[in-house]
Amino acid sequence: MPRAPRSSPLASGLSDAVFSQLAAKARGRDAIALHVGDTYLEPPELARVEALSGAHLYAYAPVQGEPSLLGAARDFVHRRHGVELDPATVQVVSGATAGLSVVSEALLDPGDELLLPAPYWPLIRGIVQKRGAVPVEIPVFDRLGEAGFDLEAELEARVTEKTAAIYVNSPNNPTGAVYAERELAAIARVAARHELWIWCDEVYEDLWLDEPPPKTWSRPDFIERALVVHSLSKAYGLAGARVGFVHGPLSAMAAVRSVQTFSTYCAPRILQLGAARALAEGDAWLESARALYASAAREAADALGVEPPRGGGFLFVDVRERRRAGESTFALLERCLDAGVLLTPGSSSGRDYEGWVRLCYTVVPPEELRRALTALRVVLRG
Ligand SMILES: Cc1ncc(COP(=O)(O)O)c(C=O)c1O
C-alpha cells in the first residue's frame, strides 16, 4: 500500500479544530489577541544575543547544554529550592514543550496512561498522544474548593495497570489555581502507592500574585519520582528563545538525554547563552514583571467579576450561563472577536470545559488590556 499521501494517525489526531476555526476568522482583523501566553515586555537587556558570529553559530552545543546555562540552572534551583542538583541530572531543552515531549518519549510506552488533572495547558494532551500514550482527564482545578472534593480518591479511581505518571502544573494554566500542601501530599500518596512518575511542569513557578505557591517537586515525598521541567519563556520573557531545562532522578535523566540527542541534539547555542545570563542575573526583571502581571491579573478579574488567580498568566472564565441561554461557546467567541478580542475556547483545556473561555492577561500592555476588558465585559457579562 502506498504511504506517500498518508500521514501517521497519531499526527492527524492532534488538531485543535475549534481554535483553528476561530483563528482563521481572526486572520486579517485587528483583534487584541489574548489567546496565547506571551508577554508585551522586552526581555532582560542582559539576555539579548551579543555575538551573532563565530563558534556560537557554526558549532553545536554539548547535547546536555552550554556549561554556563547548566551552571546557572543549578544555581537557580539552589537559590529557589535549596536543592543541590547532581550535574549529571540536568538537561537543557528547547523550551518546556520540547522538554515534556522528550520526557514523554523517555518515560512512556505507547498505550501507557498519564493522569491529567483538568483543565490543563492545551499542548500537554497532544504531547502525550503523539507518543501513542493516553491522557486520562480528571476534572480538578475548578473543583479544588468544592466541599467533599477528594483529589486522592479522584486520582485513585483512574489508576489502571497502564498508568505511568501524574502531571502536576501548579500554578495551573488555565485557571491560575495552585495546589495546597494537602493536595500535593495526596498526589504523592497515589504516586507512591502505584510507583508512578510525577511530571512537574514548573513553567509558572515564579509568576504568582500574593505569595509563592507551595513547593512541588522538592517535597521529600515527590523528589525521588519527579521529572521537573522549567522554562525561561514566562518568568524571563524569553518565549521566542525556546529554552528550558529538565532535571530528575539519574536513571530517568539518562533516558531523557538519549531521546534529546535524537530529537534536536541540542537547543540553539546562542540562545542558551542569553538564557544563562537571564537566569543568573534577571531576578530584578522578574520582580518587576511579576508586579505588572499581578496588577493586570487583578484588573482583569475585577472587570470580569471572577476571583483573581493565585498565579500563572491566565483567567479561565465560566460562560456556561450563555450556553444555558442557548448560545454556543463558539458563537460567543465569535462575538468576542467581533468586539475586537481573540480568546481561547475552554475545550482546548479538556473535554469538560466546553463552557469556559481562557484569557491571557500578560500578553498586551495595560492600556490595551483595559480596552479588551471593556469590550469583553459587554459581551461576556452584558
Ligand atoms: C503549563 C505550561 N507548560 C509548558 C508551556 C510551554 O512552555 P515553553 O514556552 O517553555 O515551551 C506552557 C506555555 O504556555 C505552559 O503554559
Side-chain angles (χ1 to χ4, degrees):
M1 206 184 20
R3 289 273 301 179
R6 188 172 79 75
S7 56
S8 154
L10 288 180
S12 33
L14 293 177
S15 86
D16 182 353
V18 182
F19 185 69
S20 348
Q21 272 178 51
L22 201 65
K25 281 188 186 286
R27 219 159 286 139
R29 294 216 218 169
D30 191 18
I32 303 179
L34 302 186
H35 66 293
V36 71
D38 264 338
T39 182
Y40 64 94
L41 297 174
E42 288 281 323
E45 184 68 39
L46 48 88
R48 311 274 171 84
V49 171
E50 284 153 24
L52 263 179
S53 63
H56 297 145
L57 278 182
Y58 63 69
Y60 293 105
V63 169
Q64 190 184 358
E66 274 295 325
S68 65
L69 179 53
L70 290 168
R74 289 177 56 229
D75 289 348
F76 168 89
V77 164
H78 188 245
R79 262 195 331 272
R80 290 279 193 287
H81 301 274
V83 175
E84 289 274 6
L85 293 177
D86 169 351
T89 62
V90 187
Q91 172 65 49
V92 170
V93 289
S94 301
T97 307
L100 284 158
S101 209
V102 168
V103 165
S104 152
E105 273 192 73
L107 302 186
L108 297 180
D109 284 324
D112 278 353
E113 294 170 5
L114 172 83
L115 297 185
L116 181 54
Y120 46 75
W121 165 54
L123 267 59
I124 188 64
R125 175 173 55 192
I127 286 174
V128 172
Q129 285 171 330
K130 81 179 166 54
R131 177 67 183 134
V134 182
V136 177
E137 299 185 19
I138 309 169
V140 165
F141 288 102
D142 54 320
R143 304 185 59 201
L144 284 176
E146 238 172 56
F149 178 71
D150 181 345
L151 179 60
E152 186 166 356
E154 295 287 333
L155 295 171
E156 192 64 48
R158 268 67 163 213
V159 173
T160 72
E161 60 190 22
K162 295 275 192 187
T163 310
I166 307 177
Y167 175 71
V168 169
N169 173 224
S170 173
N172 165 255
N173 172 359
T175 59
V178 307
Y179 285 128
E181 302 283 357
R182 67 174 181 286
E183 286 142 1
L184 294 166
I187 292 169
R189 284 194 296 275
V190 176
R193 211 173 288 133
H194 302 283
E195 302 277 352
L196 307 177
W197 293 110
I198 304 176
W199 296 4
C200 292
D201 180 337
E202 296 291 303
V203 165
Y204 298 103
E205 62 187 313
D206 273 321
L207 294 183
W208 34 264
L209 272 73
D210 296 317
E211 53 182 1
K215 301 252 188 271
T216 58
W217 67 269
S218 55
R219 299 166 55 92
D221 53 2
F222 268 46
I223 200 160
E224 302 280 301
R225 54 182 73 251
L227 263 292
V228 189
V229 183
H230 304 265
S231 169
L232 279 283
S233 292
K234 313 291 174 176
Y236 297 96
L238 290 172
R242 314 306 301 127
V243 186
F245 62 99
V246 179
H247 57 87
L250 192 58
S251 60
M253 291 311 296
V256 163
R257 182 137 329 129
S258 305
V259 174
Q260 166 68 26
T261 310
F262 294 97
S263 302
T264 57
Y265 190 77
C266 61
R269 192 169 188 196
I270 208 148
L271 296 166
Q272 292 192 48
L273 300 177
R277 291 206 57 195
L279 261 192
E281 302 166 49
D283 275 0
W285 187 94
L286 165 61
E287 257 179 57
S288 120
R290 185 191 289 133
L292 289 167
Y293 294 161
S295 122
R298 290 199 180 90
E299 186 167 343
D302 189 46
L304 301 179
V306 298
E307 284 289 307
R310 299 278 305 282
F314 301 92
L315 286 186
F316 203 50
V317 183
D318 183 352
V319 292
R320 284 174 293 186
E321 189 103 322
R322 291 276 155 194
R323 297 181 77 213
R324 283 191 285 272
E327 183 178 35
S328 74
T329 306
F330 190 76
L332 179 66
L333 287 166
E334 281 187 308
R335 279 205 298 125
C336 292
L337 192 54
D338 291 339
V341 189
L342 180 60
L343 300 179
T344 321
S347 55
S348 306
S349 289
R351 62 166 175 262
D352 296 300
Y353 298 93
E354 179 81 43
W356 300 67
V357 296
R358 188 189 74 168
L359 162 163
C360 176
Y361 54 76
T362 66
V363 65
V364 293
E367 324 74 68
E368 209 173 334
L369 180 64
R370 219 156 283 146
R371 268 194 286 124
L373 292 170
T374 306
L376 282 178
R377 197 167 35 209
V378 175
V379 181
L380 298 180
R381 300 294 183 223

